[in-house]
Amino acid sequence: MILVTTPTGNTGSMILRQLIERGQQVRIFVRDPEKISADILEKVEVSTGSLLNESEFTEALQGCDTLYFCVPQSNTQEDVNAYYESFANVASNAIKNAGTERVVYLSSGGKESNLQAGLITALHKGEDIINQSGASVRALRCPVFYESILYQITSLKKTGMFFLPINGNYKMPQVAVKDIASKAVELLIDKTWAGVEGYAIQGPKDISYSDIAIQLSELTGKPIRFQQVSNEDYIKTLLGQHHTSEAFAFSLTEMLTAIGNGLYDAEPRTDDTTTTIKDWMIENVVDKIK
């Protein structure tokens, strides 16, 4: 039996569907089952509760030999490190209590870097905690998701521009969530691996935001431009337009600064992902901004 946390999240929802399609026995751990579609609910076991409640998490893990664990997304936390550490500590204790054998954890690339990287540093701290749970662990070391572009759909549609505090010509790994989900499913189904390791999942090639703008211009027939902005202006946008907490805004900006300073450079490239940024944009972006 495989337990899937965050089954309504970006990765969790795709992992859940792929596991069901492969005929796996799956249990979901969710606070509100009504957020799960009926066609999914009828094919899985359901355990309700909070990821911050150790006894509820432990109960959900009973009878499950494998866990997919992802810290829920939030942009309102007042202490980013404490937010990730609290979820990881509860999960680690629950894994010990239940005797779970294998855990697939959604982490991030750049683990061996000495750069302070905001949200990514917090993910890495969570990884260290999960690694002490006694289970075998595969930490998915992922770069920037293609899906981050979706947060700028309004700007792309209205102005033909998108903005980040990164040099537009800096090429870096980026990956589609569905490719992350596919690799996670492979690991969740495989009962043979053991030990604690990080597993890099990167897109087919390094790509810059200027490259993305050029490709998006070609796909839409509209002039699309990427503009690098200052950290200060980006933080103001997060606070004013996206209503994030200050802690999250500063942490996300620190993360992007670290990425632009080579956070992922030491990560060995992998070639086991197939979704190109062009194919992903055709499927997820083009119709939204035409």
Side-chain angles (χ1 to χ4, degrees), residues 48-67:
T48 59
S50 168
L51 288 171
L52 289 174
N53 186 305
E54 185 178 321
S55 62
E56 291 176 346
F57 203 160
T58 300
E59 183 177 354
L61 277 170
Q62 295 298 331
C64 295
D65 56 7
T66 309
L67 165 68

Side-chain angles (χ1 to χ4, degrees), residues 116-119 121 231 248-259:
Q116 288 299 308
L119 288 167
T121 298
N231 288 355
F248 176 85
F250 279 96
S251 188
L252 180 61
T253 304
E254 185 177 55
M255 178 193 86
L256 292 168
T257 299
I259 291 171

Side-chain angles (χ1 to χ4, degrees), residues 84-268:
Y84 281 87
E85 289 175 23
S86 61
F87 278 98
N89 278 316
V90 171
S92 184
N93 290 336
I95 291 162
K96 291 177 186 176
N97 296 340
T100 305
E101 298 176 24
R102 289 172 298 278
V103 178
V104 176
Y105 169 70
L106 183 64
S107 187
S108 179
K111 183 73 163 65
E112 310 309 321
S113 168
N114 293 320
L115 294 172
Q116 288 299 308
L119 288 167
I120 290 178
T121 298
L123 276 168
H124 291 160
K125 289 181 178 179
E127 179 181 334
D128 291 338
I129 293 169
I130 296 298
N131 287 347
Q132 300 301 313
S133 66
S136 293
V137 179
R138 289 294 180 269
L140 307 182
R141 304 270 179 81
C142 308
V144 174
F145 295 178
Y146 293 160
E147 281 74 6
S148 63
I149 297 173
L150 297 175
Y151 293 103
Q152 304 214 37
I153 287 294
T154 299
S155 177
L156 281 165
K157 187 175 181 64
K158 289 183 177 180
T159 69
M161 297 179 67
F162 61 115
F163 310 86
L164 285 171
I166 289 181
N167 184 322
N169 295 319
Y170 176 66
K171 294 181 183 293
M172 59 186 176
Q174 299 193 43
V175 68
V177 166
K178 67 180 182 181
D179 284 347
I180 298 170
S182 294
K183 181 53 63 175
V185 166
E186 287 181 25
L187 291 167
L188 290 166
I189 292 175
D190 183 359
K191 308 300 183 184
T192 63
W193 55 270
V196 173
E197 295 180 7
Y199 190 97
I201 304 176
Q202 300 169 327
K205 61 182 292 186
D206 290 354
I207 189 168
S208 72
Y209 284 110
S210 293
D211 294 334
I212 291 173
I214 291 169
Q215 290 194 31
L216 200 49
S217 297
E218 293 172 351
L219 290 171
T220 61
K222 296 172 57 176
I224 302 294
R225 184 163 65 91
F226 172 78
Q227 177 66 53
Q228 181 179 7
V229 296
S230 68
N231 288 355
E232 293 76 14
D233 286 345
Y234 188 66
I235 288 169
K236 288 178 182 178
T237 298
L238 291 173
L239 295 174
Q241 296 182 18
H242 299 283
H243 310 294
T244 73
S245 66
E246 287 190 9
F248 176 85
F250 279 96
S251 188
L252 180 61
T253 304
E254 185 177 55
M255 178 193 86
L256 292 168
T257 299
I259 291 171
N261 287 335
L263 178 70
Y264 299 138
D265 287 356
E267 209 92 53

